[in-house]
Amino acid sequence: MKKLKHVPLTPSVLSWAIAESGLTIDEIATRMNLDVGTLARWQREERQPTTLTELKRLSQVLKRQLATFFLPEPPTIIHPQVEFRRPPDSDRTRPNAKELRYLREASRLQRALSWIQRELSVEQVDLPKISNSANPDRAADQLRASLKLSVDEQLSWGDPAKALQGWRNALEAYGIHVFLFPMGADSCRGFSLWDDYAPAIAVNTHWKNEARIFTIFHELGHLVTRSNSFCVSPGRQFLINDGDSHERWCEKFASAVLLPWLDVRRVLQQKLGWSDGAVIAELNDLRVVARLFKVSLQAAALRLIESGVATWSLYQSIPEWADNKPKGGRGKGRVRKEIRESEYGQRTTKVFRNALNEELMTRRDVLSYLEVTDSDLYEIQKISTG
Amino acid sequence: MEIWVIDTSSIIHIRELMPIKEQIKVYATLTQLVDSQKLVYPKQVLDELKRYTPKSTKPDRPLEWALFNEKKATRSGPQLATLKTILAHTQVRRIFDPEKVGVGEADPHVLALAYHLSTSGEQVTVLSEERKDRPDKLSMTTACAHLRLICMPIDAFLAVQSIWP
């Protein structure tokens, strides 16, 4: 281990990076295999790291570039205003470390994407701005018409994975970036970040595809109402009287986009022999609707309840594990390019490719944003010219 | 002595400039410059190049070159005190984006090494392809200007040195 005479990191920057990480001092010390006292002495400038390895570890744990710790003061960063939305019975009051890390990543990407689009004179994304006092069904109809994706096409998708890709493609074609991040079971379902040139939705991949689809459209509800949000289990808001009305609106909007009532009605009649006035009370019937439209049981239940053909007892009968991914193999290993394209989406790689082709960014710049290998980037460029 | 500090962007850019046959000759000439202590880079350049090469495959030519020359080219070691000095400059500190998650960028370390050599009396030129400032990041060219360091792209350097074409 290389010993250094002096590692002159800035204590105030260290304290700032610790606070921004969302981790406690204990968690950081454990991850660094260091005692809490040493870390506290670094913060008070009574001691400083003595090896580059210690410094690198600090930089890895706090997810900051090494140079950050040598700034004379904490950087002034204008963070996007993102409301932390949770059910009233949740004990969470702020985003956790993983959520903060992915918010930083999404927000940094968004700033770059937005800048590229403006430099290339690309027009703003024409996503309607809708008040959350508007009728969610009407707002959903308006949005669905703009997406130019028919219900027949939706029903033709072979499985939920294809449906997720289909929806993602439609939103990306509209100008909306859809990021898929592995935020884990303890994190929010998703978050939204408005920007005139690069609006973005981030979805937690912890849950199965049908649940991710619903999260995408829930977050789209936040984008159309221009209300950047972190959303923790939004569905449960419905079951609690004093729940967040904005979250309820986004849930209604999402289920209405995914399940246009006239088409749901047709399916109920054709597949379940349903007639006007009858109530859908069986979980198996709900499964038929959910499977056909490739949506979660929650999404289907909300739609039926909102349309007056089911009651909350149907929603409450949905098992807690309904959104969990099926157990099984972890799939084949993916190369970094595949991981990045899956996380950032094709629109993001396309915009960076344009920046490279138009010499707005160097090859190194693009590599740094996409975190792919140089040969991956050649592949990405080939796709654009091939 | 005249010393060039080369950035990751320039090492990578050589591949864009010329056919493979010529690249081999150019990299060999750059090795001679490293041997004569005229061409250097910080360790972080190597780290960045490693990140941009798949672990499972043989190093590509830029990484192969940087690995081969690591010992001599990075002999100055980390310039952390100088890094702190240059980041005290309100404009220069924008050379990197503190919000970046993932592998660190070499730019601030390239700049620190160049400034360290310059203040030690060497005649330093930074080689970098970064010329366009962005809202969240200053280009290497502009950062060098703030520190009164010369910065030039690799093709100009190769031409001036009669290396290529």
Side-chain angles (χ1 to χ4, degrees), chain B residues 15-65:
Chain B
R15 286 212 302 197
E16 305 283 296
L17 283 177
M18 61 195 82
I20 293 173
K21 233 179 174 178
E22 291 178 41
Q23 287 172 34
I24 295 168
K25 277 190 221 161
V26 166
Y27 279 117
T29 312
L30 294 182
T31 297
Q32 288 170 13
L33 288 174
V34 173
D35 287 342
S36 58
Q37 306 189 352
K38 286 184 172 173
L39 184 65
V40 294
Y41 49 84
K43 171 96 171 38
Q44 285 76 13
V45 163
L46 190 60
D47 293 340
E48 243 189 312
L49 287 168
K50 280 180 187 167
R51 177 70 182 166
Y52 302 148
T53 307
K55 284 194 178 94
S56 54
T57 58
K58 181 177 168 280
D60 57 10
R61 196 158 293 109
L63 176 60
E64 195 178 36
W65 176 82

Side-chain angles (χ1 to χ4, degrees), chain A residues 8 10 64-65 67-68 72-73 77 79 104 108 115 336 360 362 364-365 368-369 371 373-374 378, chain B residues 15-16 48 51-52 54 84 87 93 96-100 103-105 107 129-130 132 134-136:
Chain A
T10 310
R64 293 281 168 190
Q65 292 198 57
T68 311
E73 63 211 10
I77 293 157
H79 288 295
R104 248 174 70 199
R108 178 174 179 268
W115 176 77
R336 216 186 300 166
L360 265 184
T362 64
R364 208 291 305 268
D365 269 338
S368 170
Y369 272 103
E371 295 260 335
T373 66
D374 202 25
Y378 277 110
Chain B
R15 286 212 302 197
E16 305 283 296
E48 243 189 312
R51 177 70 182 166
Y52 302 148
K84 191 158 187 169
L87 293 181
R93 76 181 60 152
F96 77 103
D97 179 3
E99 285 295 87
K100 184 180 187 315
V103 70
E105 289 174 354
D107 290 12
E129 308 311 298
E130 315 251 320
K132 192 157 176 71
R134 300 199 303 267
D136 56 358

Side-chain angles (χ1 to χ4, degrees), chain A residues 32-227:
Chain A
M32 288 188 68
N33 199 16
L34 199 75
D35 69 277
V36 178
T38 303
L39 196 57
R41 281 192 286 279
W42 289 357
Q43 279 183 279
R44 294 195 299 266
E45 214 175 358
E46 291 167 10
R47 259 190 70 182
Q48 288 187 319
T50 52
T51 68
L52 204 52
T53 310
E54 274 181 336
L55 195 61
K56 281 181 178 168
R57 190 83 195 108
L58 185 67
S59 140
Q60 280 164 359
V61 170
L62 296 178
K63 308 233 179 290
R64 293 281 168 190
Q65 292 198 57
L66 197 131
T68 311
F69 300 101
F70 298 91
L71 287 167
E73 63 211 10
T76 314
I77 293 157
I78 302 161
H79 288 295
Q81 291 293 313
V82 184
E83 188 121 3
F84 186 73
R85 297 178 183 276
R86 60 186 175 92
D89 61 343
S90 165
D91 55 3
R92 294 195 55 198
T93 54
R94 65 185 298 263
N96 64 30
K98 270 202 174 170
E99 288 164 342
L100 288 172
R101 175 233 184 279
Y102 283 108
L103 174 65
R104 248 174 70 199
E105 186 169 341
S107 154
R108 178 174 179 268
L109 271 175
Q110 185 182 53
R111 281 198 301 274
L113 293 163
S114 179
W115 176 77
I116 294 167
Q117 299 292 63
R118 279 178 277 130
E119 288 287 308
L120 297 178
S121 303
V122 174
E123 283 185 16
Q124 294 186 11
V125 177
D126 183 26
L127 188 70
K129 186 177 179 180
I130 301 169
S131 157
N132 71 346
S133 59
N135 180 313
D137 271 63
R138 238 172 280 151
D141 287 346
Q142 188 185 348
L143 199 279
R144 178 116 200 179
S146 310
L147 286 179
K148 296 185 181 76
L149 206 144
S150 72
V151 172
D152 287 341
E153 192 175 350
Q154 180 183 352
L155 299 184
S156 74
W157 286 324
D159 56 53
K162 289 194 178 77
L164 177 64
Q165 193 54 52
W167 284 121
R168 195 180 194 189
N169 292 344
L171 288 168
E172 288 191 339
Y174 201 89
I176 298 164
H177 294 270
V178 180
F179 305 138
L180 301 179
F181 291 141
M183 288 185 269
D186 299 329
S187 299
C188 64
R189 291 283 178 132
F191 61 86
S192 49
L193 293 171
W194 175 253
D195 178 272
D196 288 337
Y197 293 87
I201 289 168
V203 178
N204 187 345
T205 57
H206 180 77
W207 288 278
K208 67 181 185 184
N209 289 324
E210 296 90 320
R212 294 182 203 176
I213 291 170
F214 193 52
T215 300
I216 288 176
F217 284 92
H218 174 96
E219 295 306 325
L220 186 63
H222 284 296
L223 287 186
V224 296
T225 52
R226 307 294 193 266
S227 53

